[in-house]
Amino acid sequence: MHATYARAVAVCDSTLLMSASEGPRGRRSAVYRRDSQEAGFVKSGDGLPEWFAHNIDTGCLDAAGPLAAFATEDGGVFLSEDSGLSWRVLADDLPPARSVLIVA
């Protein structure tokens, strides 16, 4: 991982998703994934910006089965249907998120 400050964690089938940034105020925040078959974490990139300006906070990342979703302070909501391998934007103009919940 590019940094050691971690905030959000979710389990997606056999994959662990985690957010990391350069510190409590954010900067260069990203989502990482680690499959049970892999040795380390890999930065999620397909469908995501290179970096987020703010932390992806605890409670703003959720998973159920192969579905995962997270929301950002700048109003973005992202969805993955393949345990974090790829992502798509669901919204980009919402108020700052305080939590995300997947109801399957």
Side-chain angles (χ1 to χ4, degrees), residues 7-9 13 27 31 41 46 51 54 59 66 69 79-81 83 85 87-89 93-94:
R7 293 288 281 260
V9 175
D13 281 339
R27 286 200 12 208
V31 174
F41 285 92
D46 188 10
W51 304 109
H54 304 281
L79 175 70
S80 174
E81 297 176 282
S83 299
L85 283 171
W87 297 86
R88 64 184 168 100
V89 177
D93 58 353
L94 299 174

Side-chain angles (χ1 to χ4, degrees):
M1 290 192 286
H2 79 286
T4 59
Y5 188 79
R7 293 288 281 260
V9 175
V11 177
C12 214
D13 281 339
S14 65
T15 301
L16 178 70
L17 300 175
M18 183 170 67
S19 69
S21 74
E22 293 183 347
R25 290 195 171 89
R27 286 200 12 208
R28 289 183 36 148
S29 182
V31 174
Y32 288 83
R33 63 184 307 280
R34 181 179 179 179
D35 188 277
S36 62
Q37 306 301 316
E38 298 172 2
F41 285 92
V42 177
K43 185 174 177 267
S44 293
D46 188 10
L48 297 178
E50 183 177 10
W51 304 109
F52 292 96
H54 304 281
N55 284 312
I56 298 164
D57 281 326
T58 303
C60 290
L61 172 66
D62 194 26
L67 298 177
F70 69 91
T72 63
E73 283 189 32
D74 60 359
V77 178
F78 297 84
L79 175 70
S80 174
E81 297 176 282
D82 55 9
S83 299
L85 283 171
S86 63
W87 297 86
R88 64 184 168 100
V89 177
L90 289 182
D92 62 3
D93 58 353
L94 299 174
R98 299 293 171 236
S99 64
V100 168
L101 177 65
I102 295 177
V103 179

